[in-house]
Amino acid sequence: MGKIDSGILSGFRGKVGTVVGYFRGEQCIIRVHKKTINASKSLASLTNQSKFSLALRLVKLLTEPFRRGYSGSAVPSLWFSKALGAIVKNATEGSYPAVSINYAKLPFSDGPGTTLVAFTGSVAANTRQLTLNWDSEEDYSDNAQNDKVVLIALNSVASKAWYTELPGKRLDQTAEVMIPESLGTGTIYLYAYTVSSVLDSNIGRARISPSVFGGTVNLA
């Protein structure tokens, strides 16, 4: 308990709530109690740790699409740290212990490539046949490169994922694929990004677009 010698304005000794007072010579020093500071730091640290752990698990689960998605940067070898940072910044939410992933915001890639527009997917009843549709921007310089489309399907509950380069080109604006049995059942999250089939002469690498979220499909 704090002890007030001569009015609060003259200072006090001891702990009052989360505040500690003591004298150094004739000067009264007032500060926040160390345990209060440590508790605050611990909560922030635990939150950051949890977000990092969730991001790391996803990168390990989908190493190849993340590697490809972030290798179009100026320093391709930094794909791992860029992917982790992008997930923590864009897709993690909440504070410890209630930290979670917002799967609609997962960023699988970045770069100057042409982004898909209105990307959606649907499955035929009682099948695993996935039909994808999207719009394509009228960028003729990109169209000449015959961009490929990389599809990512994620079963977050079962911690299973699958990715493939779709048949055809970005210009086709549609594709059909069979989702493998190994992905399991339930809610499947869909993502896609484009990759140019030739190197861009300006950057010396393939042009990769930022990924887009295509909603979910349910598999029985």
Side-chain angles (χ1 to χ4, degrees), residues 140-148 195-200 207:
Y140 293 101
S141 63
D142 281 345
N143 291 346
Q145 296 184 56
N146 299 322
D147 293 353
K148 292 288 188 177
V195 180
S196 62
S197 58
V198 297
L199 297 182
D200 186 294
R207 286 165 55 92

Side-chain angles (χ1 to χ4, degrees), residues 183-198:
L183 194 58
T185 59
T187 300
I188 307 299
Y189 294 85
L190 304 174
Y191 313 84
Y193 56 80
T194 66
V195 180
S196 62
S197 58
V198 297

Side-chain angles (χ1 to χ4, degrees), residues 45-57:
S45 177
L46 288 170
T47 296
N48 289 334
Q49 257 184 349
S50 298
K51 289 182 176 182
F52 181 83
S53 296
L54 289 176
L56 184 61
R57 180 179 66 84

Side-chain angles (χ1 to χ4, degrees), residues 88-147:
V88 170
K89 178 181 178 181
N90 298 296
T92 56
E93 298 179 343
S95 297
Y96 181 84
V99 175
S100 62
I101 293 286
N102 184 335
Y103 289 99
K105 295 182 178 181
L106 266 183
F108 280 92
S109 61
D110 65 357
T114 303
T115 306
L116 297 180
V117 180
F119 171 65
T120 59
S122 61
V123 291
N126 301 316
T127 74
R128 301 180 76 88
Q129 181 173 311
L130 175 65
T131 300
L132 300 165
N133 294 284
W134 62 85
D135 286 337
S136 180
E137 296 176 355
E138 294 297 328
D139 185 333
Y140 293 101
S141 63
D142 281 345
N143 291 346
Q145 296 184 56
N146 299 322
D147 293 353

